[in-house]
Amino acid sequence: MIIDAHTHILSLAEDHEFNTDYGREGSLCIYRSLGKVPSHRMPTEQEWEDSGYSRAGWPVIGPAESVRDHPGFDKMIVLGVSPQFLDGELIGTVDTYGITDVPGPPSPEKCNDYIAAVVRSDPERFIGFASVNPAYRGPRAAVAELRRSVEELGLSGVKLYPMYQHWSPQDREIAFPVFAAAADLGIPVMVHQAGSTRIDARMDYARPAMLDDVGREFRDLRVIIAHCGIPWIDEALFMLTKHPNFHTDISYHIATVTDEEFYRFLIHCEQFFVPLEKLLFGSDYPGFLYDPVKLKDRVLGVNEQADRLGLPRIPQEKLDGIMGDNAARLLGLVQD
């Protein structure tokens, strides 16, 4: 089974201009490194237009586009983004263009309803993760929304964004009620414990080791550290070493390394006492550096690097695990 365990869908805000500016802010470092905009000052509007990141922005991705861009994949996990205020704008997963069957005016308040609607559109392909923000209306409201998302909407997990929403995953009053509810519901929790190129994101809430208290308190909770904790990759791996039910997806990280570096990363994991069964393939689609097919080919072709270097090959069953079998087991889609 081939599963992309980290994908996004729909819009992040109702305001198209806000979406474009938000995307440009997060992509500025990438465009500078590619030489598409000046590195010594902020780009002008014309320079942004000439770079390819025009005011028109990127096409909105709906279910049809996600399926189209995942040829050869059996399933995709689609992640919600829970409501928060940023620069006075309420943002979160929103169906601005009426792609789903959710009625009424578009609003990030309906983020989990939109994800459930995406799953309904193609339940054989999409696995939906809810999202809640305990700093938005308090942990009690977040827990109630999480229960509704799982018990009524049928979503299969939850994605949390501490650094973006400015709450600590170590906070026993704010965060722990959400982790406790997820444990009670028996669902996996994916947490963005990794860096971000967004200026407003709080890096002091992003380190993977901040999940250590969660692992000690909720021993049976299945936790997925998003993006392999980049830039704290070894720290994330050590969390997987220490906590039996911790996993990580390799999105973002896999797009920043060469084929040889990725091979060496897999060897490093096992040397670090992290079985490759704890790694999940993820693309972070639809980011323009995150082509699911190219990244899949990087994983499945990694033994070309082993042969070139004269080093041990990665067993095919372990690569198949990374590409989806590990996620399928984690989600209970298959039994050991």
Side-chain angles (χ1 to χ4, degrees):
M1 189 176 297
I2 298 181
I3 300 173
D4 188 340
H6 197 124
T7 76
H8 300 280
I9 205 156
L10 303 176
S11 302
L12 188 64
E14 295 176 68
D15 184 345
H16 175 75
E17 291 291 309
F18 184 93
N19 275 323
T20 300
D21 290 337
Y22 185 85
R24 285 179 173 180
E25 177 190 296
S27 301
L28 176 62
C29 56
I30 299 172
Y31 277 80
R32 281 177 163 174
S33 69
L34 295 174
K36 292 181 177 291
V37 296
S39 59
H40 60 290
R41 58 171 172 78
M42 295 301 289
T44 65
E45 180 62 31
Q46 188 58 55
E47 286 167 339
W48 269 122
E49 291 288 328
D50 294 341
S51 75
Y53 208 132
S54 71
R55 183 54 62 181
W58 296 97
V60 173
I61 297 297
E65 290 77 15
S66 184
V67 170
R68 177 199 68 197
D69 294 340
H70 280 88
F73 283 78
D74 297 295
K75 297 181 183 294
M76 293 80 75
I77 294 178
V78 283
L79 303 169
V81 179
S82 44
Q84 72 174 88
F85 285 98
L86 177 63
D87 298 336
E89 186 94 11
L90 182 63
I91 67 171
T93 298
V94 60
D95 182 9
T96 306
Y97 298 100
I99 295 170
T100 70
D101 61 8
V102 176
S107 170
E109 297 270 7
K110 303 175 185 177
C111 67
N112 296 320
D113 297 276
Y114 295 133
I115 296 298
V118 169
V119 175
R120 284 196 301 273
S121 73
D122 195 342
E124 294 301 312
R125 300 292 294 275
F126 292 115
I127 300 167
F129 272 35
S131 186
V132 295
N133 175 6
Y136 179 52
R137 290 184 172 170
R140 183 175 297 181
V143 167
E145 174 62 11
L146 180 57
R147 291 192 176 278
R148 183 185 80 91
S149 299
V150 174
E151 296 173 345
E152 298 180 23
L153 299 180
L155 299 182
S156 302
V158 63
K159 171 78 182 290
L160 304 176
Y161 300 86
M163 72 175 310
Y164 289 107
Q165 298 168 344
H166 298 183
W167 53 273
S168 169
Q170 295 177 314
D171 192 314
R172 290 178 174 266
E173 294 184 2
I174 296 294
F176 271 39
V178 175
F179 290 114
D184 183 57
L185 291 164
I187 59 170
V189 180
M190 180 183 290
V191 193
H192 185 109
Q193 288 304 114
S196 173
T197 55
R198 311 294 179 184
I199 296 172
D200 189 65
R202 289 192 56 169
M203 297 288 278
D204 55 330
Y205 287 159
R207 297 199 67 139
M210 296 193 79
L211 294 174
D212 188 50
D213 282 355
V214 175
R216 293 189 300 110
E217 185 81 10
F218 305 102
R219 302 288 178 97
D220 296 327
L221 181 65
R222 290 165 289 162
V223 175
I224 305 167
I225 300 175
H227 308 308
C228 206
I230 189 171
W232 302 287
I233 293 169
D234 278 356
E235 186 171 301
L237 292 180
F238 199 82
M239 289 296 98
L240 272 60
T241 299
K242 179 179 181 182
H243 295 292
N245 288 311
F246 274 37
H247 302 74
T248 191
D249 79 65
I250 58 175
S251 64
Y252 191 2
H253 173 53
I254 190 176
T256 67
V257 295
T258 65
D259 292 341
E260 179 179 334
E261 288 169 334
F262 180 66
Y263 166 76
R264 293 186 183 277
F265 164 74
L266 296 181
I267 297 298
H268 177 64
C269 286
E270 293 191 322
Q271 291 172 333
F272 220 58
F273 313 117
V274 175
L276 300 188
E277 288 76 10
K278 286 196 167 201
L279 304 186
L280 314 178
F281 175 85
S283 67
D284 209 14
Y285 172 87
F288 72 96
L289 290 182
Y290 310 129
D291 182 325
V293 174
K294 290 181 179 179
L295 296 178
K296 172 177 69 73
D297 291 345
R298 170 165 285 174
V299 174
L300 294 178
V302 74
N303 280 323
E304 295 177 11
Q305 298 303 310
D307 294 343
R308 183 180 68 83
L309 296 166
L311 294 173
R313 292 171 64 90
I314 307 294
Q316 187 61 43
E317 61 268 23
K318 294 189 177 186
L319 298 180
D320 292 340
I322 295 170
M323 281 309 311
D325 291 348
N326 298 344
R329 284 192 292 270
L330 180 65
L331 292 165
L333 301 178
V334 297
Q335 301 298 320
D336 289 327

